[in-house]
Amino acid sequence: MRIAVIDLGTNTCNLLIAELKNGSFEILHQSKQLVKLGDGKINENLISTEATLRAVDSFHIHKKIIGEFAVDKMRAIATSAVRTAGNKIQFLDSVGNECGCLVKLVSGEREAELIFKGVLLAFEEFLEPSVILDIGGGSNELILGFRKEMIWKESRPTGMARILHSFKLSNPVKEAEVVELRDYFAREHRLSIEKSKAQKAQNMIGCSGAFDTIVDLIDHVNPGEKQRVKQEITLDRFYEVCQLLKRSTREERLEMKGMDVMRVDLIVPAVILIETLIAEIGIKKIVQTDFALREGVLYEIMNSSVKV
């Protein structure tokens, strides 16, 4: 059976196509389209007309690809920017009517749950208490896992698109702005930090965009060129990349091998969030994985759990 999962995020609309067979899966296709639902209207909790048109266009492109793969089932889900939008019903109606597909809105807790299951698909189990971090455009999910159990989950509207529209960062970012962001992230994610410290979690598992860009920069490969189930990032290498990004201008980042143009603005506050959590929790090890929400949908289908 072939499954297509469309994940409509705040910054990108992502497509995953996989074939399920005998209790396992093979990823056949992955791609994304820039939608920028988190444009200038995100902190007004609205999705602009322009963003709606970009989302509709992205669904048309993804549906064409899905048709080429003869997919049996399709699941489409929307996350932070849509769930906080005052005009979400009109937006979802527009996408559904224009593209002929039902997009299901998931809560922050449900999003965190799917992320956990997707990461579990990559790791099978967590041998030590681990902090899973998914940095989004609209929200950040922090999840504590140990063995095969989810101990704690949190979804906060502190995603990088919201940050960029709330904090006017300089180019390059100034040290005072870095300090302000660190204080903000530490305050907004205080509960997750305390829970992680109580569990003595020293491992961070980073999934989705920002971590993908970090390992692409480390490996000097183009975005999407290298697929990874899991890859360790030493703290030394992370801090090298972190300092490089914080010192860089937008123009310099665009020239970096591995920089995703879709993430050129979001990556600086993202690495500041990561370094804040490393320091606050006492993280000793980082592992990146490509697996996240979309793979969580696969996990549920494979395990005959509740369908998205």
Side-chain angles (χ1 to χ4, degrees):
M1 179 170 63
R2 289 187 173 183
I3 303 292
V5 182
I6 298 177
D7 163 22
L8 178 57
T10 301
N11 196 47
T12 56
C13 185
N14 308 281
L15 171 64
L16 172 71
I17 299 175
E19 186 163 41
L20 308 184
K21 191 174 183 180
N22 299 326
S24 64
F25 69 97
E26 178 187 358
I27 294 175
L28 304 178
H29 173 87
Q30 294 187 83
S31 59
K32 62 184 175 183
Q33 299 294 323
L34 183 64
V35 290
K36 292 182 71 174
L37 299 187
D39 58 16
K41 293 288 187 180
I42 190 168
N43 286 344
E44 299 174 39
N45 289 326
L46 291 172
I47 297 174
S48 68
T49 301
E50 295 78 10
T52 301
L53 292 174
R54 289 192 293 270
V56 168
D57 287 344
S58 74
F59 268 80
H60 281 309
I61 292 168
H62 286 330
K63 285 197 73 179
K64 183 178 179 181
I65 296 169
I66 289 168
E68 292 170 357
F69 278 87
V71 163
D72 300 295
K73 290 185 179 181
M74 185 183 82
R75 299 286 185 269
I77 53 181
T79 55
S80 179
V82 182
R83 67 174 169 254
T84 60
N87 60 341
K88 57 178 162 286
I89 294 174
Q90 299 95 310
F91 171 80
L92 292 171
D93 283 346
S94 295
V95 174
N97 292 336
E98 288 286 337
C99 305
C101 62
L102 176 66
V103 183
K104 185 168 184 179
L105 185 60
V106 297
S107 68
E109 287 204 347
R110 178 70 172 136
E111 184 176 358
E113 180 183 334
L114 285 168
I115 291 165
F116 175 78
K117 290 176 178 178
V119 174
L120 191 60
L121 199 59
F123 283 77
E124 297 183 357
E125 70 174 323
F126 309 109
L127 299 178
E128 298 173 311
S130 299
V131 182
I132 299 167
L133 173 61
D134 188 306
I135 301 174
S139 64
N140 298 320
E141 280 68 45
L142 281 91
I143 305 140
L144 267 173
F146 183 42
R147 303 201 186 280
K148 295 188 177 184
E149 300 300 320
M150 181 166 53
I151 301 169
W152 161 263
K153 62 179 181 292
E154 174 185 70
S155 178
R156 297 283 294 157
T158 51
M160 299 306 109
R162 297 186 194 277
I163 294 298
L164 290 180
H165 290 290
S166 299
F167 296 81
K168 301 305 178 185
L169 303 180
S170 303
N171 183 32
V173 66
K174 295 177 180 177
E175 183 57 33
E177 295 166 342
V178 173
V179 171
E180 184 181 13
L181 275 180
R182 284 176 184 155
D183 290 344
Y184 172 81
F185 287 135
R187 183 171 63 251
E188 289 295 316
H189 291 290
R190 178 52 54 192
L191 274 177
S192 282
I193 290 167
E194 290 174 356
K195 293 284 185 181
S196 300
K197 290 170 72 173
Q199 292 291 329
K200 296 182 171 55
Q202 296 186 332
N203 295 338
M204 175 180 286
I205 298 168
C207 51
S208 293
F211 287 96
D212 297 348
T213 297
I214 290 167
V215 287
D216 284 342
L217 289 168
I218 290 171
D219 293 344
H220 298 285
V221 298
N222 294 320
E225 183 178 315
K226 184 177 179 180
Q227 303 302 312
R228 307 170 180 93
V229 177
K230 48 189 173 181
Q231 177 171 320
E232 184 172 351
I233 306 170
T234 67
L235 290 187
D236 286 345
R237 293 308 300 273
F238 167 74
Y239 283 119
E240 284 177 17
V241 171
C242 183
Q243 292 305 314
L244 173 68
L245 292 170
K246 288 193 296 182
R247 289 195 301 264
S248 67
T249 63
R250 186 180 195 275
E251 295 71 26
E252 288 168 339
R253 291 194 295 278
L254 282 169
E255 296 299 318
M256 293 177 183
K257 180 77 169 181
M259 178 56 64
D260 189 337
V261 67
M262 297 184 187
R263 202 157 287 111
V264 67
D265 298 310
L266 308 175
I267 191 64
V268 172
V271 295
I272 295 170
L273 168 62
I274 297 167
E275 70 170 349
T276 300
L277 294 174
I278 289 172
E280 292 284 334
I281 297 170
I283 296 296
K284 304 298 183 188
K285 179 180 178 181
I286 307 174
V287 180
Q288 177 269 350
T289 179
D290 288 351
F291 286 40
L293 187 150
R294 295 176 296 284
E295 289 77 13
V297 176
L298 293 182
Y299 179 97
E300 289 198 336
I301 294 172
M302 289 168 61
N303 290 275
S304 302
S305 185
V306 177
K307 305 295 191 296
V308 173

